[in-house]
Amino acid sequence: MTRAMGVVVALLSLVLAFSSPAARAAEPVDLLLVLAADVSRSVTEPKFKLQREGAAAAITHPDVVRAIASGPNRRIAICFVEWATAGQQNVVIDWTMIADGDSARSFGGKLVEVPRSFSGSTSISTAIDFSVVQIERAPFKAERRVIDISGDGVNNQGTLVTEARDKVLAGGITINGLAIMLKRARCLTKENGNP
């Protein structure tokens, strides 16, 4: 091999090494956010829609979009997952960068169109563990890492929630919990015997 060929091969090797996903630095964002929604058996259709449509409405709200654009990197990355019992977790929308109204609306539009993943028992601890895996594999990097987990029941499968929570908090990840509680309003009128 001539010296010129050796130089070309060496340069080509460097280019290929630095273009591989593992060698590239993760793109910085202001926040890595996993939205983890409960789709266990107790989650009725109204509760399911509340989670999906609520997340879509929140991410597209002008105040939220302004807040996203006001950070140092002017963008966040978001991943939406659904969970039920142990072994039933699904990435509904994989990591997506949100930087403006258009990207927020695109994410929200996809979110309300995708069908429900499944239903089963309730394993909040497994949902937390699954959400951590998503953060660890994110193609973005951020100092702030958050799991927003919504649900309507207690942990009845998997490890203790407190163990999963403590491990996550020790790793510097914030967990926010949202309890889903829908009550049907009862109309109080004279016709149905109420004053």
Side-chain angles (χ1 to χ4, degrees):
M1 180 184 309
T2 68
R3 182 168 185 219
M5 286 281 289
V7 170
V8 168
V9 169
L11 287 173
L12 185 56
S13 297
L14 280 173
V15 167
L16 290 174
F18 284 105
S19 65
S20 73
R24 283 185 292 222
E27 194 166 350
V29 293
D30 296 314
L31 170 69
L32 290 176
L33 174 62
V34 176
L35 298 177
D38 183 358
V39 289
S40 61
R41 279 189 293 272
S42 59
V43 174
T44 60
E45 190 62 20
K47 290 178 182 178
F48 170 74
K49 289 177 100 175
L50 177 68
Q51 291 178 98
R52 285 284 190 92
E53 293 173 5
I59 199 67
T60 58
H61 193 281
D63 291 343
V64 172
V65 173
R66 273 193 294 278
I68 290 169
S70 69
N73 293 299
R74 305 177 63 83
R75 59 189 174 233
I76 68 168
I78 189 168
C79 176
F80 191 94
V81 303
E82 287 180 338
W83 59 273
T85 192
Q88 287 187 322
Q89 299 83 36
N90 183 45
V91 175
V92 176
I93 300 181
D94 211 347
W95 286 107
T96 303
M97 187 184 302
I98 308 292
D100 54 25
D102 288 341
S103 54
R105 283 186 294 276
S106 175
F107 180 87
K110 289 177 191 170
L111 189 56
V112 296
E113 292 174 1
V114 180
R116 182 175 178 148
S117 298
F118 32 63
S119 65
S121 295
T122 307
S123 181
I124 300 168
S125 57
T126 306
I128 291 170
D129 293 341
F130 184 76
S131 298
V132 171
V133 170
Q134 305 321 305
I135 288 174
E136 290 171 348
R137 70 170 191 82
F140 306 99
K141 66 176 179 179
E143 287 186 25
R144 288 185 61 213
R145 299 168 301 154
V146 176
I147 298 168
D148 281 358
I149 188 162
S150 56
D152 75 338
V154 297
N155 191 64
N156 56 32
Q157 294 283 318
T159 61
L160 294 173
V161 173
T162 51
E163 290 176 11
R165 178 205 61 204
D166 292 347
K167 185 170 58 174
V168 170
L169 296 178
I173 298 172
T174 300
I175 301 176
N176 297 317
L178 175 64
I180 304 168
M181 299 180 349
L182 292 180
K183 284 190 175 182
R184 182 174 286 170
R186 198 172 73 151
C187 182
L188 300 177
T189 63
K190 291 183 180 179
E191 288 80 26
N192 64 13
N194 294 307

